[in-house]
């Protein structure tokens, strides 16, 4: 069995500033984070993904980088970062970090030098126009907040291009010197112990319009060169691409031969999964799962529910998007950029434990590697009074102590949720630790089980025949065969699933959560009853009957 680490791990995403404040200044930091490595390890996390922690004006949560080679002093020093990676490695965990190469902050010394002197070599690090381009008001990523992609600089006496906010000028990736700089940044962090990068905004990074390449084909070759460099410097390094694109384009990012990026977030599955939760119709999700097949052997999907941004449902057809808005974000204030919902998972699902379990169980059983978001393991809520995406970036709720135990300061970096059903006195780690039935303990059990099922990350899968409101999937890896069944309707469902594989007939189908044995009916099918919003994880032979490295026995 292929043991590549990213194929059977759990990735946990967090922002250093919202996790735990170690020095009482109100801002989360590396010292605080290091105090919680045993918590993350105990939860079952295999890789910690940090959103940007570099020096930055932080006008876009750190995605406006002012210095790629250091740590924002508010979070600690480079020394603290290395202590952190060491602490992770000691516990068998890996570190992933955001890699924001599409743009810098306008405060970055490269941009400052480019503004100050048209003859500086840094001028060509960015993308300029003497005239206002005709399409200056098209293609903004944050419509309604940012109204153009070109901004005039009186200092430079020219217009510069920015796919995102005007304080994030796009780098000119077509410039070989810029490519060299980017390679150096990657190599630097690999040397400090990082195992992987979540690569920000990949479609824009390689887009032909943003980089003035002569050829209309995006710069896919750059992805290959980046991978080559990383694997030469550190054999187990991986890239996880943020690219919200249609499934038919994904192979270009993985590379037909698997020689570009290792992993991609599966945005099409994410959006149709939320539609399935909203409507109980699993057909679009099935279609996206079918479209997600046939990857090169080293390629891998990453699956998620919520992340640090809005839930982007912009690629769903209008009626499906509306169904998700109606179910999970009906108020205008809950919506963002005309395409997304800025709430956390628990409030979107009305705090209903059965629906939360259903959603997480579905995500954990998608073909690929799960990515979970800090605070979702305890069902944290959101604060819609905060601007834009900050609603879902409130501090971690550790206990019922003041400010949820996040900081001893009276002035936290963002307000801790302190009232209502998601306030820190009601939703916190300390309380859930002592309750064996809590969401935290449920999540821990599910993550442990998930890691004992390598067929989910590495096997082949079949979508079994079932009514539209039920998703039944069978995974096979060598002689390991599992079935995962989810009932999206809030009504009891009965179903029959067919014989799974020729060689399974003498091994029982066992429910992993309960050890219940599901007999094979005389008609050759397994008969199952699912509770309203119920789910079952089933395995031929159960978990104790794991078979690794053996070929299935040939028929006598
Ligand atoms: C994608 C990130 O997820 C988002 O948070 C950020 O604002 C943009 N890229 C710009 O870096
Ligand atoms: Ca601090």
């Amino acid at each position: 069995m292929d043991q590549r680490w990213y194929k059977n791990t759990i990735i946990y995403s967090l922002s250093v500033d919202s996790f735990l404040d170690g020095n009482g200044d109100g801002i989360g930091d590396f010292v605080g984070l290091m105090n919680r490595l045993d918590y993350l390890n105990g939860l079952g996390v295999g890789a910690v993904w940090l959103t940007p922690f570099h020096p930055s004006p932080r006008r876009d949560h750190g995605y406006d980088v002012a210095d790629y080679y250091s740590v924002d002093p508010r979070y600690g020093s480079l020394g603290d970062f290395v202590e952190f990676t060491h602490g992770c490695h000691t516990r068998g965990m890996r570190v992933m970090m955001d890699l924001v190469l599409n743009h810098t902050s306008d405060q970055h010394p490269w941009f400052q030098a480019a503004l100050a002197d048209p003859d500086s070599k840094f001028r060509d690090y960015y993308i300029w126009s003497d005239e206002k381009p005709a399409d200056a008001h098209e293609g903004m990523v944050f419509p309604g907040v940012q109204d153009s992609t070109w901004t005039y600089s009186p200092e430079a006496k020219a217009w510069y291009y920015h796919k995102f906010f005007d304080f994030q000028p796009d780098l000119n990736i077509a410039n070989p010197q810029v490519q060299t700089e980017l390679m150096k940044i990657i190599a630097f962090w690999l040397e400090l112990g990082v195992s992987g990068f979540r690569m920000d905004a990949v479609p824009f990074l390689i887009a032909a319009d943003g980089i003035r390449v002569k050829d209309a084909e995006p710069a896919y070759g750059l992805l290959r060169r980046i991978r080559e460099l990383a694997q030469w410097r550190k054999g187990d390094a991986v890239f996880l691409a943020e690219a919200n694109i249609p499934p038919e384009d994904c192979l270009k990012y993985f590379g037909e031969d698997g020689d570009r990026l290792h992993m991609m977030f599966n945005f099409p599955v994410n959006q149709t999964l939320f539609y399935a939760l909203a409507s109980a119709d699993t057909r679009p999700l099935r279609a996206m799962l079918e479209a997600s097949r046939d990857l090169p052997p080293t390629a891998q999907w990453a699956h998620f529910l919520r992340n640090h941004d809005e839930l982007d449902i912009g690629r769903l057809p209008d009626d499906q998007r509306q169904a998700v808005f109606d179910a999970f974000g009906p108020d205008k204030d809950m919506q963002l950029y005309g395409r997304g919902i800025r709430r956390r998972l628990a409030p979107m699902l009305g705090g209903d434990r059965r629906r939360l379990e259903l959603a997480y169980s579905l995500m954990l059983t998608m073909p690929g590697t799960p990515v979970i978001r800090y605070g979702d393991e305890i069902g944290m809520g959101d604060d819609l009074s905060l601007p834009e995406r900050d609603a879902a970036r409130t501090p971690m709720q550790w206990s019922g102590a003041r400010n949820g135990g996040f900081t001893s300061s009276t002035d936290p970096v963002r307000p801790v949720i302190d009232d209502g059903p998601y306030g820190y006195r009601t939703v916190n780690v300390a309380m859930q630790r002592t309750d064996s039935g809590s969401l935290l303990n449920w999540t821990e059990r599910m993550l442990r089980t998930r890691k004992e099922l390598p067929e989910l990350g590495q096997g082949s899968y079949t979508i079994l025949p079932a009514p539209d409101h039920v998703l039944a999937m069978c995974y096979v890896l060598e002689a390991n065969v599992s079935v995962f069944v989810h009932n999206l309707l809030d009504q009891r469902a009965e179903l029959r699933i067919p014989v799974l594989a020729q060689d399974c007939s003498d091994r029982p189908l066992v429910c992993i959560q309960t050890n219940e044995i599901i007999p094979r009916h005389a008609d050759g099918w397994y008969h199952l009853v699912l509770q309203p919003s119920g789910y079952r994880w089933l395995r031929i032979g159960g978990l104790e009957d794991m078979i690794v490295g053996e070929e299935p026995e040939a028929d006598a």
Side-chain angles (χ1 to χ4, degrees):
M1 196 185 296
D2 189 348
Q3 299 290 347
R4 288 168 195 265
W5 70 267
Y6 58 94
K7 295 235 165 179
N8 195 35
T9 194
I10 309 286
I11 301 175
Y12 186 95
S13 146
L14 68 90
S15 320
V16 178
D17 74 346
S18 347
F19 207 56
L20 184 64
D21 174 18
N23 66 354
D25 67 354
I27 304 173
D29 46 46
F30 278 105
V31 169
L33 173 54
M34 275 185 279
N35 268 302
R36 289 295 184 265
L37 291 185
D38 290 316
Y39 167 81
L40 295 175
N41 192 31
L43 189 59
V45 170
V48 184
W49 153 31
L50 305 180
T51 54
F53 51 79
H54 307 297
S56 158
R58 301 197 71 74
R59 296 177 67 191
D60 180 17
H61 209 68
Y63 286 89
D64 43 340
V65 177
D67 178 2
Y68 288 102
Y69 292 111
S70 56
V71 169
D72 190 319
R74 284 172 284 194
Y75 306 151
S77 65
L78 212 44
D80 293 326
F81 177 80
V82 172
E83 285 301 299
F84 159 72
T85 56
H86 176 72
C88 287
H89 297 161
T90 310
R91 293 164 176 84
M93 297 190 291
R94 291 169 194 268
V95 176
M96 298 181 73
M97 60 181 274
D98 249 286
L99 184 66
V100 189
L101 302 180
N102 177 69
H103 46 265
T104 68
S105 160
D106 59 2
Q107 301 305 307
H108 194 287
W110 296 341
F111 192 65
Q112 290 296 316
L115 289 180
D117 178 4
D119 297 325
S120 145
K121 73 165 189 174
F122 295 109
R123 187 75 158 204
D124 197 43
Y125 273 37
Y126 296 89
I127 300 161
W128 301 94
S129 172
D130 291 335
E131 304 296 326
K132 180 174 180 176
D135 58 359
H137 296 284
E138 289 169 20
M140 291 78 64
V141 175
F142 302 125
V145 180
Q146 178 71 51
D147 79 341
S148 73
T149 47
W150 290 88
T151 292
Y152 183 71
S153 159
E155 192 180 351
K157 299 191 180 49
W159 298 76
Y160 63 91
Y161 180 71
H162 51 87
K163 190 71 196 171
F164 296 91
F165 293 111
D166 55 8
F167 52 81
Q168 287 166 320
D170 275 39
L171 283 165
N172 176 17
I173 304 292
N175 178 340
Q177 286 183 322
V178 172
Q179 295 194 9
T180 304
E181 300 274 13
L182 303 183
M183 301 287 181
K184 258 169 60 184
I185 293 164
I186 292 167
F188 176 83
W189 291 102
L190 287 176
E191 210 66 38
L192 293 191
V194 162
S195 301
F197 298 93
R198 179 265 190 192
M199 222 168 150
D200 190 60
V202 183
F204 309 120
L205 176 71
I206 62 172
D209 63 339
I211 58 171
R212 293 185 300 175
V213 289
K214 295 191 184 70
D215 195 330
E217 177 79 350
Y220 295 114
L222 178 64
L223 302 181
R224 173 154 182 250
R225 292 199 296 286
I226 285 176
R227 178 175 180 147
E228 276 174 0
L229 167 94
Q231 298 212 315
W232 163 235
R233 298 290 179 100
K234 197 164 186 287
D236 63 351
V238 298
F239 292 93
L240 164 55
E242 185 222 12
N244 184 352
I245 53 172
E248 57 272 21
D249 291 338
C250 293
L251 255 194
K252 296 184 186 141
Y253 290 70
F254 289 127
E256 301 264 344
D257 301 324
D259 57 354
R260 294 175 185 164
L261 304 179
H262 307 75
M263 304 180 79
M264 293 184 71
F265 286 105
N266 198 319
F267 281 93
V269 161
N270 175 259
Q271 305 194 21
T272 49
L273 193 153
F274 271 97
Y275 172 68
L277 288 169
S279 67
D281 177 3
T282 67
R283 288 171 302 171
L285 174 58
R286 293 183 198 195
M288 289 307 135
L289 286 166
E290 292 297 350
S292 299
R293 290 181 183 289
D294 300 329
L295 304 185
T298 62
Q300 181 80 340
W301 293 115
H303 293 287
F304 62 106
L305 288 169
R306 288 291 287 109
N307 60 20
H308 62 292
D309 290 326
E310 78 284 5
L311 165 68
D312 184 344
I313 44 174
R315 287 190 182 274
L316 291 178
D318 291 350
D319 56 331
Q320 293 178 16
R321 186 179 329 106
Q322 194 54 50
V324 180
F325 275 140
D326 291 347
F328 301 138
D331 301 349
K332 275 279 168 249
D333 189 36
M334 298 168 173
Q335 302 173 7
L336 198 57
Y337 313 134
R339 59 157 188 253
I341 300 178
R342 64 194 194 104
R343 304 174 81 192
R344 274 252 192 192
L345 185 70
M348 280 169 58
L349 299 177
D352 181 339
R353 173 69 181 265
R354 286 170 320 138
R355 299 295 287 179
L356 277 167
E357 287 191 16
L358 177 72
Y360 252 98
S361 170
L362 257 174
M363 192 277 276
L364 289 172
T365 56
M366 292 289 108
T369 299
V371 182
I372 58 181
R373 175 80 178 138
Y374 84 90
D376 279 358
E377 72 270 31
I378 53 171
M380 263 173 60
D382 46 48
D383 180 349
L384 294 175
S385 72
L386 298 179
E388 295 176 62
R389 295 162 293 166
D390 280 0
R393 296 171 178 176
T394 60
M396 180 70 179
Q397 296 172 190
W398 293 106
S399 72
R402 193 175 64 170
N403 279 324
F406 162 71
T407 179
S408 56
S409 157
T410 50
D411 185 21
V413 61
R414 278 177 295 285
V416 183
I417 298 177
D418 66 357
D419 60 5
Y422 302 99
Y424 67 81
R425 293 176 197 85
T426 314
V427 175
N428 66 58
V429 172
M431 259 168 63
Q432 294 199 20
R433 262 185 217 289
T434 56
D435 171 3
S436 61
S438 68
L439 187 62
L440 177 64
N441 282 315
W442 177 86
T443 305
E444 184 187 319
R445 288 194 296 276
M446 293 298 269
L447 297 188
R448 183 180 61 226
T449 309
R450 168 66 188 75
K451 288 190 291 186
E452 290 189 74
L453 295 163
E455 53 265 47
L456 280 164
Q458 289 156 270
S460 58
Y461 58 92
T462 318
I463 301 174
L464 301 174
D468 291 348
H469 61 274
V470 173
L471 183 71
M473 294 181 69
C474 174
Y475 287 80
V476 178
L477 180 68
E478 297 173 358
N480 304 302
V481 182
S482 296
V483 175
F484 303 89
V485 192
H486 292 86
N487 174 15
L488 278 293
L489 260 193
D490 216 12
Q491 288 168 19
R492 191 170 171 275
E494 276 184 46
L495 73 151
R496 303 185 325 152
I497 51 176
V499 176
L500 306 164
Q502 292 305 324
D503 61 304
C504 297
S505 42
D506 58 344
R507 294 161 65 205
L509 184 62
V510 180
C511 177
I512 294 171
Q513 275 85 17
T514 60
N515 269 345
E516 179 194 354
I517 293 177
I518 317 287
R520 199 161 66 114
H521 204 264
D523 61 9
W525 295 59
Y526 295 92
H527 289 215
L528 286 176
V529 175
L530 289 169
Q531 295 309 314
S533 301
Y535 61 91
R536 293 269 193 113
W537 292 19
L538 307 146
R539 199 177 214 233
I540 294 288
L543 269 180
E544 272 50 68
D545 202 9
M546 170 95 163
I547 299 177
V548 180
E550 286 178 29
E551 290 302 314
E553 272 180 42
D555 285 347

